[in-house]
Amino acid sequence: MKRIALRFLSLLICLLLWHLASSNQVDLGFVSFKQLPSPEQVSSEALDLIHSKKFLAHLNASILRVLSGFCLATVVGISLGLSIGRFAWASNFLLPPLEMLRPIPAVAWIPLAILMFPSSEVSMIFITFIGALFPILLNTIHGVEAIDQRLIAAARSLGCKRGTLFYEIIIPAAASNIFTGLAIGMGTAWFCLVSAEMIAGQFGLGYYTWSSYTIQNYPAIVVGMLLIGLLGMASSLLIRYVARLVMPWQTLVVKRNG
Amino acid sequence: MVDQGCFEISRLSIRLGLGKQAFTAVENVSFSNQPGEFICILGPSGCGKSTLLSTMAGHVASSQGAIKLDGQLITKPNADIGLVFQQHSLFPWQRVIDNVAFGLKMRGINKSERHRQAREMLELVGLSGFEQHYPAQLSGGMQQRVEIARVLINTPKVILMDEPFGALDAQTRLSMQQFLLSVWEGIKTSVIFITHDIEEALFLADRLLIMSQRPGRFIEEIPLDFARPRTTELLATPRFVQLKQHCLTVLQSQNHL
């Protein structure tokens, strides 16, 4: 109870500070809140948006893009990560190009993506994919490399064949790291999607936010930002929830009997 | 189990490491065991005894000589050679019952049958009622019991144990030694047990092999004919104390080299 109260209190304080800053038109010289829309303006703008027909279209567009990019990154990241972590040849063969591509921010891919893909839709999904891929890939590799070798030895001595080893030992043993990668990847997926939508989108929350700026609808900018934050948070919570479902042993209350 | 679980090791050498860091861990070791015999290998830490055991389990390749189990050359791990580690190697994501039943699953036995056998095995090691626990919820001694149950369910021809009680406190260690002997007297599988604890080795073994400092060689062999079943009273008998002193002298002579 106390925990929840504290969390609400912190949100309330943020809201209050925002309200004070915008209603008093605070100008600190290096940063000015004169143009900042107030919480009241923003919430009425949010209500308008929710009642408008475009709201679902924006929401759908963004969620679909994030999901496609993220799922693709999950499949590719985990399967590449498992092979690179497990087999020296895969590591030697696949890691050099990946290591070179990794430092390139996903946003820097936008121009090339627009040139490479037939539709802006696919190019935005690609940007999201790139953003989510590396956290998933690297955490999976790390997870596999960090596996206690004795677990593998024990499994082999209990009659586990090399082929079954992946399913029986490697994947469950690396699961916690893989989920860390998925949670980080989900965050970067949203981050990259919004950047891509600002440049190439026709719908979506990033597009909504940026187009509100160009038509000088300032409260809508904040609505877009808050929605992005909310959806990012919700998807992280979803991943944490799935992780707890899939890995019940990770959240044990250790009660020792005798 | 009769006439099974016989290792024949002849002129075995094991080199580890690569390039300039390569070293000989075990040098020119030969020995064999009787079916159902309990052998303890005693040696100072770092003498290569664990490496020897890993090679016998098929996890490390030898560089010279051969290891045969019942006439078959050992080249890779298999379920006939059970392996127990110092720190438990239970799968943290599996409940106790599934850990114990793992070997049966690998043989393709269906779930209800393997759970039935696993429950029996857990009863044998005194852990009925802990089927649904995860390994992290058990104490160190209980974890080792599960580990032993998981190996026993495969009815291995031989069990290799690498200081299995080394991480336990003295009290638990003693009760685990008695537990192991009582289980072993029921099944009489061959056991090769590694330890650096002289008392443990003397208490458990039919035959004791003492290893030198690295590169490990056998420097002494002591047959132990204490009557079985053995109890803790054995620890205070003059013969036991005298042998303990002797082993200590042999091991200490190694330190001066």
Side-chain angles (χ1 to χ4, degrees):
Chain A
M1 239 8 246
K2 221 173 174 179
R3 254 182 359 175
I4 294 170
L6 206 62
R7 288 174 186 182
F8 265 101
L9 186 69
S10 112
L11 281 176
L12 269 176
I13 290 175
C14 289
L15 212 61
L16 190 70
L17 287 176
W18 174 17
H19 173 78
L20 290 174
S22 64
S23 63
N24 295 323
Q25 306 215 330
V26 177
D27 190 347
L28 299 174
F30 64 93
V31 55
S32 160
F33 298 102
K34 278 183 182 164
Q35 305 263 23
L36 183 71
S38 70
E40 298 82 357
Q41 288 170 302
V42 169
S43 47
S44 85
E45 181 67 34
L47 279 177
D48 284 354
L49 175 67
I50 291 170
H51 289 120
S52 84
K53 281 179 197 147
K54 285 190 173 169
F55 176 59
L56 276 183
H58 286 310
L59 209 62
N60 271 340
S62 284
I63 291 178
L64 261 176
R65 287 169 193 152
V66 160
L67 276 187
S68 333
F70 178 78
C71 290
L72 215 62
T74 301
V75 173
V76 175
I78 292 179
S79 40
L80 281 183
L82 289 175
S83 344
I84 291 174
R86 183 84 183 117
F87 304 116
W89 64 264
S91 165
N92 289 326
F93 183 68
L94 295 169
L95 219 44
L98 288 169
E99 280 295 339
M100 223 179 99
L101 295 177
R102 186 168 70 94
I104 303 171
V107 184
W109 278 94
I110 293 177
L112 207 60
I114 292 172
L115 292 176
M116 276 163 33
F117 294 105
S119 74
S120 59
E121 199 57 40
V122 182
S123 61
M124 280 184 288
I125 291 174
F126 174 74
I127 299 301
T128 321
F129 163 78
I130 290 284
L133 176 68
F134 286 103
I136 298 174
L137 176 71
L138 294 179
N139 278 284
T140 306
I141 295 175
H142 174 69
V144 176
E145 285 175 345
I147 293 176
D148 183 349
Q149 288 304 308
R150 295 173 322 125
L151 294 186
I152 294 174
R156 300 267 288 129
S157 277
L158 290 167
C160 190
K161 300 277 184 296
R162 279 184 191 281
T164 1
L165 207 58
F166 259 100
Y167 173 75
E168 289 288 346
I169 309 296
I170 312 267
I171 293 175
S176 143
N177 278 300
I178 294 176
F179 270 103
T180 305
L182 292 179
I184 301 173
M186 186 54 108
T188 48
W190 274 105
F191 170 90
C192 295
L193 172 78
V194 170
S195 327
E197 281 178 346
M198 284 186 168
I199 294 164
Q202 305 226 328
F203 274 105
L205 295 169
Y207 169 77
Y208 171 78
T209 307
W210 189 250
S211 65
S212 303
Y213 172 70
T214 54
I215 58 170
Q216 301 190 332
N217 181 1
Y218 297 144
I221 299 177
V222 182
V223 173
M225 287 168 63
L226 288 177
L227 275 174
I228 293 162
L230 217 62
L231 282 170
M233 190 175 81
S235 42
S236 299
L237 283 179
L238 185 73
I239 288 184
R240 260 194 275 172
Y241 175 74
V242 173
R244 228 178 302 167
L245 275 190
V246 180
M247 306 183 294
W249 70 91
Q250 285 280 327
T251 43
L252 292 177
V253 184
V254 176
K255 47 174 196 286
R256 289 172 186 265
N257 302 286
Chain B
M1 290 300 147
V2 187
D3 291 341
Q4 280 197 332
C6 291
F7 270 111
E8 253 177 274
I9 297 179
S10 52
R11 309 182 65 81
L12 180 78
S13 294
I14 307 164
R15 281 182 72 73
L16 295 178
L18 292 171
K20 280 185 180 161
Q21 269 143 34
F23 61 91
T24 306
V26 173
E27 192 169 50
N28 204 6
V29 161
S30 301
F31 86 100
S32 59
N33 64 325
Q34 300 296 311
E37 191 179 20
F38 200 128
I39 291 187
C40 278
I41 296 176
L42 184 67
S45 36
C47 72
K49 53 194 192 300
S50 287
T51 308
L52 175 63
L53 208 72
S54 299
T55 309
M56 290 166 73
H59 288 295
V60 173
S62 62
S63 37
Q64 256 175 47
I67 301 184
K68 283 183 187 169
L69 178 67
D70 298 331
Q72 295 274 320
L73 217 54
I74 302 293
T75 51
K76 58 178 202 277
N78 69 69
D80 285 334
I81 308 171
L83 187 56
V84 177
F85 296 90
Q86 175 174 15
Q87 298 280 350
H88 82 84
S89 64
L90 299 172
F91 307 132
W93 56 89
Q94 286 181 351
R95 294 176 190 275
V96 164
I97 191 158
D98 289 311
N99 261 291
V100 175
F102 184 82
L104 301 180
K105 188 181 184 188
M106 293 303 104
R107 276 193 261 152
I109 292 167
N110 71 51
K111 192 168 184 172
S112 63
E113 173 59 18
R114 60 179 194 255
H115 276 190
R116 190 188 64 75
Q117 291 191 34
R119 264 190 290 275
E120 270 181 29
M121 195 50 76
L122 282 168
E123 201 178 330
L124 178 77
V125 301
L127 284 176
S128 286
F130 291 94
E131 290 86 355
Q132 299 304 319
H133 285 59
Y134 283 100
Q137 295 172 303
L138 305 180
S139 67
M142 293 161 92
Q143 288 166 341
Q144 282 305 52
R145 283 171 190 247
V146 177
E147 176 112 357
I148 291 169
R150 185 174 72 166
V151 166
L152 287 180
I153 206 165
N154 272 346
T155 55
K157 294 176 179 168
V158 57
I159 302 175
L160 307 177
M161 307 183 97
D162 189 357
E163 302 198 38
F165 310 141
L168 304 174
D169 61 83
Q171 197 68 45
T172 315
R173 194 180 315 155
L174 194 60
S175 74
M176 286 299 288
Q177 289 161 0
Q178 288 169 292
F179 156 75
L180 177 64
L181 283 185
S182 73
V183 170
W184 172 75
E185 273 153 19
I187 53 171
K188 286 282 183 186
T189 299
S190 314
V191 175
I192 315 281
F193 187 109
I194 276 178
T195 181
H196 62 258
D197 180 336
I198 297 172
E199 209 162 87
E200 179 170 71
L202 291 171
F203 183 63
L204 295 173
D206 290 324
R207 185 151 58 106
L208 178 59
L209 297 166
I210 303 182
M211 255 181 135
S212 67
Q213 292 277 24
R214 204 170 81 196
R217 289 165 289 112
F218 289 133
I219 46 173
E220 180 128 354
E221 177 177 340
I222 306 173
L224 300 164
D225 49 6
F226 302 121
R228 295 188 188 270
R230 292 178 185 172
T231 61
T232 46
E233 278 138 41
L234 172 65
L235 303 180
T237 60
R239 172 104 179 103
F240 190 91
V241 175
Q242 182 208 338
L243 276 172
K244 193 170 142 186
Q245 193 54 51
H246 173 71
C247 292
L248 197 61
T249 315
V250 173
L251 283 178
Q252 270 171 351
S253 74
Q254 282 299 302
N255 286 337
H256 299 302
L257 290 176

